[in-house]
Amino acid sequence: MEPVTSRSNGPGSYAPLPLKQAEVTDKRLLRGARTRKIVLRQAVDVASLDGLGSVSFGRLALDTGLSKAGIQALFKTKEILQLAAVEFARGLFIDAVIRPAKSAPHGTERLRALLDHWTVYAETPLFAGGCFRAANLAEFDSRPGPVRDALFRDQQEWREVIAAELFCAVNAGEIAELDVELAVFQIDALLCAANTAHQAGDADAVGKARRIIEGLLVAPR
């Protein structure tokens, strides 16, 4: 199909103005998306090191070399920026830990795959300060509002992923009956503690957590 054009300079002369305008708009959208990604990538690293409270337009402008006004035009308020950072970190976590484990069968195999990918996520690490969630939950646990809600919703989703695989393992007879809710709480707490210890210099922290978790996955007698 021929592009829609507007007639100018007499019969037979067509200037593809709408197409040009669309191209300009698309380029602006792409530029805005790239800028947004650069800003959020830096924001999650700052938040993993110093907490979401340290994420500000001024600091991100200084860190990225972008203009403070340009960043503020994208996110409007600090809270919107913080919420966007939580969502961006969530997406990176899903890509690094949850999605790669989906190739493993449900139950203990997938749970161990999740733990394997979480280990890489924490030890590599994906974020400059280690686990994004562990670094920020404590900062907002007593501060009601959208940011705290987003962080705890993210944590709950992660716990539900673990719970689903534990239920599958129990139902398939791969592990002995256990209190799944309690086990999920223990696993999540262990991983958060392992992240903190690893960041503090304990090179075997994640390995210790894995050994404790393996103790929960006892085969039926």
Side-chain angles (χ1 to χ4, degrees):
M1 180 182 294
E2 291 294 325
V4 177
T5 59
S6 61
R7 187 181 298 270
S8 64
N9 299 326
S13 176
Y14 294 90
L17 293 178
L19 183 58
K20 272 189 169 181
Q21 290 170 348
E23 287 173 348
V24 170
T25 301
D26 287 345
K27 287 176 183 177
R28 286 174 180 167
L29 289 173
L30 287 171
R31 197 158 52 241
R34 283 195 297 267
T35 301
R36 181 181 175 86
K37 186 174 181 179
I38 290 169
V39 170
L40 289 176
R41 177 66 254 193
Q42 183 61 26
V44 296
D45 279 339
V46 170
S48 71
L49 286 165
D50 301 322
L52 277 164
S54 297
V55 174
S56 67
F57 297 125
R59 177 164 181 178
L60 293 176
L62 186 64
D63 289 347
T64 63
L66 298 168
S67 74
K68 179 179 177 180
I71 296 173
Q72 192 161 6
L74 281 173
F75 297 100
K76 309 303 181 188
T77 69
K78 181 172 180 176
E79 184 177 85
I80 291 173
L81 174 60
Q82 290 173 327
L83 289 169
V86 173
E87 185 60 26
F88 190 77
R90 174 180 174 272
L92 292 177
F93 181 83
I94 289 171
D95 287 343
V97 178
I98 296 176
R99 189 167 285 118
K102 285 188 175 181
S103 59
H106 284 294
T108 54
E109 284 192 52
R110 186 172 295 189
L111 181 58
R112 289 189 173 104
L114 286 165
L115 294 173
D116 287 342
H117 291 295
W118 186 91
T119 298
V120 175
Y121 157 82
E123 290 185 339
T124 304
L126 180 60
F127 303 111
C131 179
F132 177 91
R133 190 184 306 113
N136 286 283
L137 281 171
E139 181 184 2
F140 283 86
D141 60 1
S142 59
R143 295 167 59 181
V147 177
R148 185 181 75 167
D149 292 346
L151 286 166
F152 278 89
R153 185 166 55 248
D154 185 31
Q155 181 190 46
Q156 184 57 34
E157 287 178 356
W158 169 233
R159 287 180 173 179
E160 287 170 1
V161 169
I162 298 171
E165 302 312 325
L166 283 173
F167 275 119
C168 285
V170 170
N171 292 335
E174 296 175 342
I175 62 174
E177 291 284 341
L178 49 67
D179 184 329
V180 170
E181 185 177 351
L182 179 60
V184 169
F185 181 87
Q186 289 174 310
I187 291 171
D188 185 41
L190 278 168
L191 294 179
C192 286
N195 172 78
T196 300
H198 179 76
Q199 290 302 119
D202 185 348
D204 192 37
V206 175
K208 292 172 186 173
R210 289 294 301 268
R211 291 194 290 276
I212 295 170
I213 292 169
E214 284 295 332
L216 300 173
L217 308 181
V218 180
R221 293 183 179 179

